[in-house]
């Protein structure tokens, strides 16, 4: 055995992966769950021993079967999950053109004024945000694709659908529900959801009003034997350990992966994320119509100006201004670009890779555990 092998073995002995029962259930090495819309991130998280969850709520419906097939080919048999956002109170079926014709004139005029003020170039490529409106018909297609996939996990956010939960469980899948309050958690438990993802106010994306540190213990206390994961504001291994200390079986991260090169983050957004601290993320309805934590930009700030109208409800706000979101990403607009991002943005300090991020999280988790042991050994009992 050469010196490198010896060193590798020595390190492996020192860093015993910290595992929880859900790691056994899902067949993963680390209690780290990674949400991403990027197939490349998803594959890399799985390869690094975490459990990836592929977000499909903003993908073009006709592309979803191909995305799933591609991810499954690349994952071979590594376990993964898929996430959908299923709000209630959306139209049965809707074309974006029809919805756009019915939008309030004052809102249309305000957004047009902003487009002119900021010189927003029209997007040139079709995307979810320029061609789709969330509707029951869309959700039906998404649900069918997820049920027919080989994904081991099925996660849902914003809404709960008992038919989906029952059918997914019947097909041997593990169901996850992102919840932001005790009331939501009660509903999910009553519907038989397998895993609760307690997602605090600190999280990137759609959030409730309770912080992760206060939410997790309440959900653990009510979940009984069912596993809970902690989400929101988590960017370090010590926070993963803190999640386990609160009784969660793992941590679910979203924002951090935007720093990975596998995410193909536009350079203007990467610069903004690197330059941002937790206080640069705000909760706004301007993105989707529902409260959503994003990293601020001039576009988001414009919706807080005194003459700005209140955002429209989901799904109308995206029919109103989704083209701008698409445009500022396509054209890499340094002034306006924003994205869902949590207070965990403090963990983004430059471009890296998923493998590096996972190695760092695991190393920090182990370091935090050693620190606790040192406290326990070196302090005098009172
Ligand atoms: C860019 C981005 C997009 C997201 N999109 C979704 C989504 O479509 N569905 C969902 O359930 N959660 C979504 N989330 C939330 C994550 O699932 C996760 O709960 C959250 O990112 C955790 O907090 P953190 O961002 O501080 O790690 C998104 C988060 C980010 C950062």
């Amino acid at each position: 055995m050469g010196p490198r092998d010896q060193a590798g073995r020595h390190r492996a002995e020192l860093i015993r992966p910290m595992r929880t029962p859900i790691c056994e259930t899902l067949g993963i090495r680390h209690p780290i769950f990674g949400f991403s819309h990027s197939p490349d991130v998803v594959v890399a998280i799985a390869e690094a021993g975490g459990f990836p969850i592929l977000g499909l709520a903003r993908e073009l419906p006709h592309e979803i079967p191909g995305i799933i097939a591609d991810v499954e080919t690349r994952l071979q048999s590594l376990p993964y999950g898929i996430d959908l956002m299923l709000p209630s109170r959306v139209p049965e079926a809707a074309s974006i053109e029809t919805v756009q014709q019915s939008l309030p004139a004052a809102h249309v005029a305000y957004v047009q004024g902003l487009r002119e003020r900021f010189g927003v170039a029209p997007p040139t490529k079709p995307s979810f945000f320029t061609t789709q409106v969330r509707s029951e018909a869309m959700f039906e297609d998404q649900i069918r694709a997820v049920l027919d996939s080989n994904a081991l996990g099925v996660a849902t956010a914003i809404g709960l659908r008992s038919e989906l939960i029952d059918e997914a469980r019947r097909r041997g899948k593990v169901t996850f529900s992102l919840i932001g309050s005790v009331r939501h958690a009660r509903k999910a438990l009553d519907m038989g959801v397998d895993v609760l993802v307690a997602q605090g106010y600190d999280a990137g994306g759609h959030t409730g009003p309770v912080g992760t540190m206060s939410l997790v213990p309440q959900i653990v206390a009510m979940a009984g034997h069912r596993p809970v994961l902690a989400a929101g504001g988590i960017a370090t291994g010590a926070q993963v350990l803190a999640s386990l200390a609160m009784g969660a079986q793992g941590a679910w991260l979203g924002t951090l992966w935007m720093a990975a090169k596998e995410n193909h983050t536009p350079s203007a957004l990467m610069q903004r994320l690197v330059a941002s601290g937790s206080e640069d993320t705000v909760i706004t309805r301007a993105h989707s119509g529902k409260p959503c934590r994003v990293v601020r930009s001039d576009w988001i700030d414009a919706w807080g100006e005194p003459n700005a109208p209140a955002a429209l409800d989901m799904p109308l706000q995206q029919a109103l201004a989704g083209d701008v979101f698409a445009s500022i990403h396509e054209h890499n607009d340094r002034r306006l670009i924003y994205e869902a991002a949590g207070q965990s943005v403090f963990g983004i300090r430059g471009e890296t890779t998923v493998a590096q991020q996972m190695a760092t999280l695991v190393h920090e988790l182990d370091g935090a555990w050693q620190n606790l042991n040192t406290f326990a050994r070196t302090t005098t009992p009172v």
Side-chain angles (χ1 to χ4, degrees):
M1 185 188 285
R4 282 186 59 194
D5 298 334
Q6 276 173 12
R9 172 177 285 196
H10 185 56
R11 217 174 26 246
E13 279 165 4
L14 276 181
I15 302 185
R16 276 189 310 278
M18 175 98 52
R19 301 184 78 220
T20 58
I22 199 171
C23 298
E24 307 289 332
T25 311
L26 300 175
I28 52 173
R29 283 206 302 281
H30 306 297
I32 297 173
F33 293 70
F35 173 94
S36 178
H37 289 277
S38 159
D40 289 350
V41 169
V42 162
V43 171
I45 290 173
E47 286 172 346
F51 190 81
I53 305 93
L54 174 65
L56 288 179
R58 48 154 99 159
E59 285 43 48
L60 282 166
H62 71 273
E63 292 183 353
I64 285 181
I67 295 172
I68 292 176
D70 175 54
V71 164
E72 291 187 354
T73 306
R74 294 171 64 194
L75 283 175
Q76 302 192 7
S77 56
L78 289 173
Y80 84 107
I82 297 181
D83 171 279
L84 294 176
M85 244 168 52
L86 301 171
S88 50
R89 291 200 297 271
V90 295
E92 277 304 312
S95 83
I96 193 159
E97 293 79 13
T98 317
V99 171
Q100 280 170 340
Q101 277 159 18
S102 67
L103 296 172
H107 282 77
V108 173
Y110 185 74
V111 172
Q112 186 50 27
L114 291 182
R115 284 192 195 97
E116 286 163 16
R117 177 166 129 202
F118 291 126
V120 177
T124 63
K125 300 179 203 148
S127 73
F128 182 89
F129 295 95
T130 55
T131 60
Q132 307 295 317
V133 179
R134 296 184 199 282
S135 69
E136 288 296 335
M138 173 192 287
F139 296 163
E140 235 172 74
D141 289 349
Q142 290 175 332
I143 287 172
R144 197 169 323 111
V146 173
L147 287 173
D148 289 347
S149 75
N150 293 318
L152 174 57
V154 175
T156 58
I158 300 193
L160 279 161
R161 307 275 167 132
S162 57
E163 323 79 69
L164 169 58
I165 292 160
D166 293 346
E167 185 55 23
R169 297 188 76 221
R170 204 183 61 72
R171 295 188 190 204
K173 299 185 187 300
V174 179
T175 54
F176 296 71
S177 176
L178 278 81
I179 52 94
S181 70
V182 166
R183 190 171 59 85
H184 290 152
R186 173 52 50 214
K187 263 177 97 174
L189 289 171
D190 290 348
M191 280 190 197
V193 168
D194 299 300
V195 183
L196 296 181
V197 183
Q199 192 218 28
Y201 171 85
D202 335 24
H206 296 99
T207 68
V210 186
T212 305
M213 198 82 183
S214 298
L215 185 65
V216 173
Q218 298 184 69
I219 305 305
V220 167
M222 67 192 289
H225 63 281
R226 278 184 264 185
V228 174
L229 305 175
I234 299 172
T236 70
Q239 291 173 286
V240 178
L241 182 65
S243 306
L244 304 188
M246 287 191 286
Q249 291 201 20
W252 171 294
L253 286 67
T255 296
L256 198 64
W257 317 112
M258 288 193 283
K261 80 173 170 35
E262 292 92 338
N263 194 58
H264 313 291
T265 303
S267 61
L269 178 61
M270 184 68 92
Q271 280 168 24
R272 186 178 294 288
L273 294 169
V274 169
S276 294
S278 301
E279 64 280 11
D280 298 309
T281 68
V282 291
I283 295 196
T284 178
R285 288 180 187 266
H287 175 59
S288 69
K290 287 194 183 290
C292 183
R293 186 178 290 281
V294 303
V295 63
R296 280 182 45 217
S297 75
D298 283 3
W299 178 260
I300 294 301
D301 289 351
W303 285 87
E305 289 173 1
N307 63 333
L312 299 174
D313 286 339
M314 185 180 268
L316 304 183
Q317 182 70 8
Q318 261 164 15
L320 175 70
D323 67 302
V324 177
F325 183 73
S327 164
I328 60 189
H329 278 249
E330 182 185 329
H331 300 300
N332 202 30
D333 188 318
R334 294 181 58 144
R335 191 172 165 198
L336 304 184
I337 202 160
Y338 75 91
E339 180 52 286
Q343 294 186 347
S344 47
V345 74
F346 76 86
I348 296 187
R349 286 298 161 255
E351 193 180 71
T352 175
T353 62
V354 168
Q356 185 59 51
Q357 291 178 310
M358 284 290 288
T360 303
L361 287 167
V362 170
H363 182 76
E364 290 171 345
L365 171 53
D366 184 68
W369 178 240
Q370 306 290 340
N371 284 345
L372 287 187
N373 279 302
T374 308
F375 292 156
R377 274 199 308 272
T378 55
T379 50
T380 331
V382 279

